Amino acid sequence: MKILLACNAGMSTSLLVQKMRAEAEAAGLEAVIEAKPLNKALESVADFDILMLGPQISYAKAEAEEFAGGKPVIVIAMADYGRMNAKGIIEQARAALVA
């Protein structure tokens, strides 16, 4: 599973990626998880299975879906993002990938 998080280049997303990587490893999941600023994420989305947007850039979902070529694009829930709920966010990604 390859997850790309898009953000405004904030430090909080980098911390979230670290927590998600640790959670995936603890759960025995093979996962590549990266974060990039929105413009770089749109250029890289072809290399990932799913694009997850930070809630602060939810306005960009339609544009991101155009770049994603049918891959899932989801906005991380504000509560999960704020709490750094890595487990919940990974579950959200997994559910979107099997839908």
Side-chain angles (χ1 to χ4, degrees), residues 4-20 33-38 52-58 74-90 92:
L4 178 58
L5 277 65
C7 62
N8 278 331
M11 292 299 294
S12 58
T13 306
S14 296
L15 180 58
L16 179 57
V17 166
Q18 291 173 6
K19 289 180 176 269
M20 288 175 67
I33 305 168
E34 294 184 21
K36 297 183 182 212
L38 180 60
M52 302 185 82
L53 303 177
Q56 71 276 24
I57 59 167
S58 61
I74 54 179
V75 176
I76 299 169
M78 179 66 82
D80 285 336
Y81 190 86
R83 292 184 185 117
M84 295 281 159
N85 181 5
K87 183 177 182 178
I89 294 168
I90 288 172
Q92 188 180 10

Side-chain angles (χ1 to χ4, degrees), residues 45-76:
V45 70
D47 299 329
F48 292 84
D49 300 320
I50 186 169
L51 176 60
M52 302 185 82
L53 303 177
Q56 71 276 24
I57 59 167
S58 61
Y59 65 85
K61 186 174 184 198
E63 179 185 8
E65 287 173 334
E66 290 177 25
F67 280 85
K71 293 179 183 184
V73 176
I74 54 179
V75 176
I76 299 169

